Amino acid sequence: MRPAGRAETDSLYFDYPHFPFVRPPEREGRPVRHRVAIVGAGPVGVTAALELARHGIASVVLDDKATVNDGSRAICISRHSLEILQQLGVDGPFVEKGLGWTRGRTYFRDREIYRFEMPHSEQERFLPMYNLQQQYIERFLIDKAAESECIELRWQSAVTGVSQDGRGVTLDVATPEGGYRLECDYLLAADGARSVVRKSLGLALHGEAYEGRYVIADIRLRSDFPTERRAFFHSAALPDSTILVHKQPDDIWRIDYQLGPGEDPDAAVEEANIREKVGLIVREVLDEGDDWELEWWSLYKAYTLALDDYRHGRVLFIGDSAHLVPIFGVRGLNNGFADAANAGWKLAWVLKGRASERLLDSYSPERRGATLDVFANAGKSTRFMTPPSRGYRLMRDAALSLALHHDYASGFANPRQVTPYTYAESPLTLSDDAGFAAGPIPGAPLANHRLGENDFLLDRLGQGFTLLYFCADSDVEAELAERLAALQSGGQPIELLAMARRPGTEGGLVDGDNSLFTAYGADPGSAYLVRPDRHVAARWKHLEPADLEPALLTALGGE
């Protein structure tokens, strides 16, 4: 919603693009069979298209809109998501425009009771979190997709029905010039919380809805306060509400405040009420003046809902079409990015004949497992931010009161920010080697490490699998080199990334201070097999070359 007299795309800071309808070949009567169709051109859908394109797979993306979504919506991008965007070659504008941050504060009755600092070190390329409005997120991804010959974006194209059989999926599409049918081998459903694809297939989300509602408001306010997350409980301005505040680019501030007990949601989103509440927060909570402008607002309710299975035949659900998670801990969009990366590389491998369709069977266990982990953590945060009962509220307020005078109680206010999920129980993940005392375990994402000036470990990963091999010098033993060459000649893109303690005749990377060996618990002969989405499939304290091919087979869904 926007202030009276302003159109939906009349923004104080963002120029909304217009995407025209382009008549597709199906409307001309020309039969076209697409390898992959994606419904939804939001951040998750376009990320999936870019991931497919990274592996040479073409897709068509359909969206009923003619521009990007309005309002800031999802604003916090995690380090793990930036690493996904780096693989897609689109991280640059995100880092340039976004506001990075590492810390947050919690206040009770206008007194600071807790301050958290997210883990960060010089070994990381990216900060733990970046704030960036969703309009920019979508625009940067769409601009990147428009450069790709593998991606066709179809705007003003509303999917109205979906059916499938053993051969593929058929979409009914409505456009300004009439309807048509689109056929594809596989479908990625990224059409959000009100997914038409989900409804067409007779599927439903299951889980829990929380009682509390929040108003989300964007305002323009010039302030020198640093970029960090702030949470306020029982403030003088709104004693019955929880308030969250985030700084965004272009002097835009995101304010989320909880509706009071018994407050009418319809009345709460009337412009006069928005201005009154936001004005109180700006003056009495943020200690800023009245020189602010209202940009946009919406109403939000927390859910922990998910499909029972994220794959149905040739349809894979990604993002909000598969799950709805609370905003607390900034998990929604970041989990959607991980869905897109996971589904994208697996679908590409199947379509390229590098793996059987069994590989797709791992998508739901891995990503639904991630959702359930989010539910466990976000549920705690949600019950703290929005107590579902009088008993929860009493316990929450008691913890906050204790934190005024006792440091040990302040940890209850920890927002538990999103962390990447470890696929330890995945059918693609091998058991760990007991010899390791450090380093990412199988199923975990590969940990970054600085190799030099503007040079990091994750920069060196290829498009396919990577074998990170630790050696005394960079001369890899002949048997391992032969097995890698055989896999490559058999059609599997697997690259060797050798890390040596000293230079060898073949050159390669040298861990001069032994810091990477130490961080990864490695000795000469140790190895990590890394998937295309940067998750570790297997690791060996000492790799026997004969063990590599069976591990790769398992990581591709084989028996």
Side-chain angles (χ1 to χ4, degrees), residues 307-428:
L307 286 171
D308 295 333
D309 196 330
Y310 291 1
R311 181 191 174 202
H312 289 265
R314 290 177 172 263
V315 180
L316 280 70
F317 290 87
I318 58 179
D320 285 354
S321 70
H323 48 73
L324 296 178
V325 304
I327 59 172
F328 313 116
V330 298
R331 294 171 171 88
L333 176 61
N334 292 298
N335 276 276
F337 280 138
D339 289 350
N342 191 299
W345 83 263
K346 291 174 179 176
L347 193 51
W349 251 243
V350 171
L351 289 170
K352 281 182 167 289
R354 295 170 179 163
S356 73
E357 200 170 280
R358 287 196 303 271
L359 179 60
L360 300 181
D361 293 338
S362 67
Y363 170 68
S364 190
E366 288 190 349
R367 293 311 305 157
R368 193 170 189 277
T371 302
L372 297 179
D373 183 68
V374 165
F375 286 179
N377 289 288
K380 295 175 185 176
S381 298
T382 302
R383 286 188 290 272
F384 193 86
M385 301 295 293
T386 310
S389 67
R390 182 174 178 273
Y392 268 108
R393 178 175 289 274
L394 287 172
M395 288 190 293
R396 192 275 306 272
D397 291 348
L400 291 170
S401 296
L402 280 171
L404 286 171
H405 307 288
H406 302 283
D407 291 341
Y408 72 86
S410 61
F412 287 111
N414 189 336
R416 300 179 180 89
Q417 302 291 345
V418 62
T419 56
Y421 184 64
T422 296
Y423 303 135
E425 304 300 323
S426 168
L428 309 186

Side-chain angles (χ1 to χ4, degrees), residues 132 231 300 355 398 514 553:
L132 184 66
Y300 167 81
N514 207 43
L553 179 64

Side-chain angles (χ1 to χ4, degrees), residues 205-227:
L205 301 174
H206 299 118
E208 185 176 357
Y210 292 87
E211 290 299 321
R213 291 176 182 265
Y214 278 77
V215 166
I216 299 172
D218 289 343
I219 65 171
R220 184 157 66 182
L221 170 70
R222 289 173 176 84
S223 171
D224 295 329
F225 200 91
T227 304

Side-chain angles (χ1 to χ4, degrees), residues 221-250:
L221 170 70
R222 289 173 176 84
S223 171
D224 295 329
F225 200 91
T227 304
E228 57 184 53
R229 173 200 183 270
R230 285 185 284 173
F232 300 86
F233 297 91
H234 292 285
S235 67
L238 300 178
D240 293 326
S241 299
T242 302
I243 302 169
L244 297 173
V245 180
H246 279 280
K247 186 178 185 178
Q248 304 177 87
D250 303 318

